[in-house]
Amino acid sequence: MNSTPLPPRMESWKPTVVVGIDFGMTCTGVAYSTAPEWAEPKCIQRWPGQFQLANKVTTQVAYDDRDRLITWGFQCHRTTDVATSIMNEFKLYLDPSFPDNHPGRPSHQEAVRWYKDFMRSLWVHLDSYFDSVIPDWRQRNVQILISIPTTWTSPQLTARLKSWLEEAGLATAYNRRVDVNQTEAEAAAVYAAKQTFKVGDIIMVADAGGATTDINILEITERRRDRAKLRALDKAEGINVGSTQIDGHVKELVKAQLKQRRVQCNDDEVHWLAEDMMKSCAFEEIKCGFDGTQLQMDTHMAIPEENFPEHNRYQRQHVTITVDQLRSIFDNQLKLMFSAMDNKLHELMNQRPDPVKYLVLSGGLGSSKYVQRRIQAQYATRFPNMKVLCADEPQLAVAKGLVMDRVQALSTGSGVYTGRISRVSYGVLCREAYDKVRHRGEDITEDSLDKTKWAENMIEWLVEEGHAVEDTDFTKPYRLKIPKAEIGQGFEAQFVKSDAPAKALPRSLRHDGVERLCTLRFRFSEQDFRQSSSHQGFRLERSFLSRRRDHYIAEFNLRIIVGSTDLKFEIETMDGRKLNMAEARVEVEWEETEIRPKPKKPARTMFAAQR
């Protein structure tokens, strides 16, 4: 997929409305703020099909028996007059590498379709809503910010997510722009940082939502009335712990009891019957209100009469989820959460003596009184000086955090994050002058231009996992040998990524643990070569030996800008001219997110310039 070049005027484009969308596994929240006041973000509370105010809308879409979209959100359960299939809990399947072998799991293509249908429907509603409350809405510059799970570490997936959103109609107008630029962990941390912390405070933010729990440890580096600054002390971590896992375990208990009672359903029908029974008894409210105390009552779910043989239909039956069973399910999720938190706390203690002063909980599961009480009990003795807090509006932390970070950047010139920790390593393929010891077993070629030997497909790691990534860029000089006949043609730089620890990064494509990421294609103009005497970095190498050919040496700087969720690239010539992704002369082709075979070596590979 080629990225669509942006017109140069977009570089100075600034929004007058910022909209943050927290696309969740079970519910989706939306917050916004407008210029020139840039007031505290407001959240959308009015939704189609919901007569009461609600901070979030259910993440679901409904289709008829011909697989046509009927409706979305709260309206899905009001479509009783047509045959419907309601699709929900598909968020994690947008990542094609999500490890789930459940036989009923949706395909990646199905999840993408449902996502686009949901986001298209959501935006139609938001567009109408904003048109009724914001003056000159149609003429405003609107930036739409989307967060992604912290478990997603692939810039390819971010690029595709942005293209799906554009296809869904979120950025079709000239003054609409959609960006995927923060993880849920970072957005929740921004929201948490706006509370009354002091400079030097170290906080751990645990955003426990529907599908995942994201954990971040940060230091408050600046705190003023109009802005806050955060510095990450460790890479953010996401684990598959959330309220939907609790739903899944309860559903399995219900299904087991239904089978014991020999209801007249096949396995697939039992699955949907269990889900309907949980909805009919308002299990979501029971789960959110669960506190695990002795006053808590068992949950009884009535079995519809039509699911029994006629002679049993009038014997009222139900299934029961006891308080002990529900407590056990909560505790199993909490064990995983505690393990991840413990690892983060111990890693920090090994690096620096400063203790974590606050543990801030956000997200739907983080707002649970039972979860809060168990976490307080877990750490009261081991970390007595660490205070457990709950975010002011825990379920809106991500949506509001997205908006607050962007508004601060617009108002003060810089966002909340002053530095992040890279979650993966990024490198570029290059060739190295052949060394018979160092390059034993590597791909060796002889250059047709000057007959020197090179080791191909070597990797120069520009950004290493676990290392600090400030809001700056990484720039390194490289060279290309270019035959005279190829001037004006396009050239490539191939980037790779690795999840391996920084101390064990592979040195070439012949080693395991490396994945192809993208190809950066760029093109110098013929003028660069024709005027090589005046354009620094382009020089002609003449050869007086019959086995060698005249060729150019193009020397340039390769710049990589590492964002929270994406990468941007720039080529800079030695005389200061820049080629970036907003120009037609630079484009990026992202690899598919599925595992691919190792790439063939490019026809002409760049090599590091010696400085």
Side-chain angles (χ1 to χ4, degrees):
M1 182 192 74
N2 292 336
S3 60
T4 304
L6 297 174
R9 62 185 178 86
M10 291 292 283
E11 292 301 304
S12 59
W13 186 93
K14 286 187 178 181
T16 56
V17 180
V18 174
V19 180
I21 300 179
D22 172 22
F23 174 74
M25 186 76 152
T26 57
C27 295
T28 293
V30 181
Y32 71 99
S33 184
T34 61
E37 295 84 3
W38 293 124
E40 183 79 12
K42 297 179 182 178
C43 70
I44 304 297
Q45 295 181 302
R46 298 187 182 278
W47 305 102
Q50 179 72 7
F51 304 117
Q52 297 177 340
L53 298 180
N55 286 336
K56 288 188 172 185
V57 62
T58 50
T59 305
Q60 52 188 5
V61 282
Y63 298 87
D64 65 14
D65 55 359
R66 297 177 63 181
D67 203 28
R68 295 175 301 189
L69 178 69
I70 301 173
T71 190
W72 69 289
F74 289 117
Q75 300 174 111
C76 289
H77 291 290
R78 301 183 185 277
T79 55
T80 55
D81 56 331
V82 288
T84 60
S85 297
I86 298 175
M87 305 304 176
N88 52 27
E89 297 186 5
F90 52 84
K91 172 181 176 178
L92 297 183
Y93 299 100
L94 295 173
D95 178 2
S97 62
F98 176 58
D100 182 10
N101 298 319
H102 189 279
R105 64 164 289 172
S107 68
H108 170 65
Q109 291 74 18
E110 288 173 327
V112 170
R113 180 200 171 192
W114 302 338
Y115 177 73
K116 290 196 288 189
D117 283 346
F118 176 83
M119 296 302 288
R120 183 181 296 110
S121 302
L122 173 69
W123 186 249
V124 168
H125 170 67
L126 293 177
D127 189 46
S128 174
Y129 175 83
F130 288 135
D131 193 33
S132 68
V133 298
I134 298 178
D136 304 322
W137 164 250
R138 301 294 175 193
Q139 287 72 47
R140 295 256 193 162
N141 285 353
V142 180
Q143 185 172 22
I144 307 154
L145 304 174
I146 312 290
S147 59
I148 64 170
T150 308
T151 52
W152 293 0
T153 60
S154 168
Q156 304 106 303
L157 187 52
T158 297
R160 279 172 173 74
L161 192 70
K162 185 174 179 179
S163 71
W164 298 334
L165 292 165
E166 291 170 346
E167 291 167 13
L170 272 70
T172 52
Y174 75 94
N175 56 349
R176 301 290 185 264
R177 187 169 177 176
V178 62
D179 287 302
V180 185
N181 61 357
Q182 274 197 335
T183 65
E184 291 164 1
E186 290 178 335
V190 169
Y191 180 79
K194 291 293 185 175
Q195 300 190 42
T196 55
F197 298 118
K198 298 178 181 178
V199 173
D201 284 349
I202 296 176
I203 63 174
M204 179 162 70
V205 179
D207 181 51
T212 60
T213 294
D214 301 324
I215 303 171
N216 231 344
I217 295 184
L218 311 116
E219 181 180 11
I220 309 294
T221 59
E222 185 176 343
R223 189 73 176 85
R224 300 183 186 178
R225 183 183 61 81
D226 61 338
R227 69 178 182 179
K229 290 285 189 180
L230 291 174
R231 181 168 65 91
L233 300 182
D234 197 0
K235 65 178 181 179
E237 181 179 358
I239 56 174
N240 292 322
V241 170
S243 60
T244 55
Q245 283 85 342
I246 293 174
D247 294 345
H249 289 298
V250 170
K251 191 183 299 180
E252 290 303 313
L253 291 177
V254 174
K255 288 164 61 177
Q257 292 188 49
L258 288 173
K259 290 177 181 179
Q260 288 175 359
R261 286 162 175 72
R262 299 180 181 179
V263 295
Q264 291 186 316
C265 298
N266 59 35
D267 287 347
D268 190 50
E269 291 169 336
V270 166
H271 173 85
W272 294 112
L273 175 59
E275 189 167 282
D276 289 341
M277 288 170 58
M278 291 172 64
K279 289 173 182 174
S280 66
C281 81
F283 177 74
E284 185 70 21
E285 295 179 14
I286 294 171
K287 177 183 64 178
C288 293
F290 180 74
D291 60 13
T293 65
Q294 292 183 348
L295 297 177
Q296 195 84 37
M297 298 178 65
D298 294 344
T299 302
H300 302 288
M301 304 180 190
I303 305 174
E305 293 179 355
E306 62 268 20
N307 295 106
F308 289 98
E310 289 189 15
H311 64 278
N312 283 342
R313 284 191 179 179
Y314 302 103
Q315 300 176 13
R316 187 169 181 81
Q317 299 197 44
H318 62 267
V319 299
T320 299
I321 304 299
T322 68
V323 173
D324 287 342
Q325 287 175 318
L326 192 52
R327 184 187 296 111
S328 176
I329 292 172
F330 266 86
D331 287 346
N332 286 336
Q333 292 295 295
L334 285 167
K335 285 179 183 177
L336 299 173
M337 194 185 300
F338 292 153
S339 176
M341 289 179 178
D342 288 348
N343 288 338
K344 288 292 181 187
L345 289 169
H346 290 309
E347 287 175 6
L348 181 67
M349 290 170 62
N350 291 334
Q351 295 173 9
R352 54 189 296 167
D354 306 310
V356 172
K357 194 169 184 178
Y358 299 100
L359 168 54
V360 184
L361 298 173
S362 63
L365 187 59
S367 64
S368 163
K369 295 297 183 184
Y370 182 73
V371 170
Q372 292 171 21
R373 194 171 71 249
R374 287 281 285 111
I375 289 177
Q376 287 174 338
Q378 174 75 7
Y379 294 110
T381 302
R382 296 164 55 205
F383 298 95
N385 295 322
M386 183 175 71
K387 186 174 182 179
V388 179
L389 303 174
C390 185
D392 184 34
E393 295 176 291
Q395 296 186 4
L396 297 172
V398 172
K400 287 195 171 184
L402 287 169
V403 177
M404 293 163 79
D405 182 68
R406 183 62 179 133
V407 165
Q408 177 172 302
L410 290 167
S411 302
T412 69
S414 61
V416 176
Y417 272 85
T418 58
R420 298 178 171 90
I421 303 297
S422 181
R423 296 181 292 156
V424 296
S425 297
Y426 299 110
V428 62
L429 293 190
C430 56
R431 58 189 345 200
E432 295 179 0
Y434 173 65
D435 180 283
K436 64 179 181 181
V437 176
R438 172 175 167 75
H439 298 126
R440 183 175 297 157
E442 302 293 351
D443 297 325
I444 309 302
T445 61
E446 183 181 87
D447 195 300
S448 61
L449 296 175
D450 59 11
K451 302 306 177 180
T452 55
K453 284 188 176 182
W454 296 88
E456 303 285 359
N457 293 328
M458 305 303 291
I459 303 172
E460 182 165 18
W461 294 103
L462 305 175
V463 182
E464 294 186 355
E465 176 269 340
H467 287 199
V469 180
E470 303 296 331
D471 273 347
T472 54
D473 55 81
F474 297 84
T475 303
K476 287 197 174 184
Y478 289 94
R479 291 174 178 172
L480 269 170
K481 294 181 181 180
I482 303 172
K484 293 180 68 174
E486 294 182 14
I487 61 173
Q489 295 184 14
F491 307 102
E492 296 181 353
Q494 295 189 6
F495 290 84
V496 295
K497 59 170 280 194
S498 177
D499 296 319
K503 294 181 179 179
L505 289 172
R507 64 181 186 180
S508 77
L509 282 182
R510 294 186 65 87
H511 299 267
D512 295 330
V514 60
E515 176 186 343
R516 189 181 178 191
L517 182 64
C518 66
T519 300
L520 177 69
R521 293 192 172 92
F522 55 96
R523 179 175 56 82
F524 299 117
S525 69
E526 292 192 19
Q527 289 291 91
D528 291 327
F529 297 92
R530 302 303 183 198
Q531 301 175 12
S532 57
S533 58
S534 58
H535 282 183
Q536 183 181 352
F538 298 85
R539 69 176 189 274
L540 181 63
E541 291 281 316
R542 295 191 178 278
S543 177
F544 301 100
L545 300 177
S546 59
R547 294 181 65 245
R548 301 186 179 185
R549 292 187 290 161
D550 291 351
H551 59 274
Y552 282 94
I553 297 290
E555 191 168 318
F556 54 91
N557 287 322
L558 173 64
R559 182 178 178 223
I560 176 173
I561 305 162
V562 182
S564 170
T565 64
D566 63 355
L567 297 177
K568 294 183 176 66
F569 305 94
E570 189 173 83
I571 300 292
E572 183 180 32
T573 61
M574 291 296 106
D575 53 1
R577 291 172 293 114
K578 295 180 179 180
L579 289 69
N580 57 44
M581 293 168 63
E583 297 183 357
R585 285 203 286 168
V586 175
E587 64 178 19
V588 178
E589 180 181 355
W590 296 98
E591 290 300 305
E592 296 294 333
T593 48
E594 296 88 348
I595 297 175
R596 286 282 188 163
K598 293 178 180 178
K600 296 179 181 179
K601 59 187 178 184
R604 190 154 301 283
T605 309
M606 63 187 188
F607 54 99
Q610 300 299 320
R611 291 294 178 88

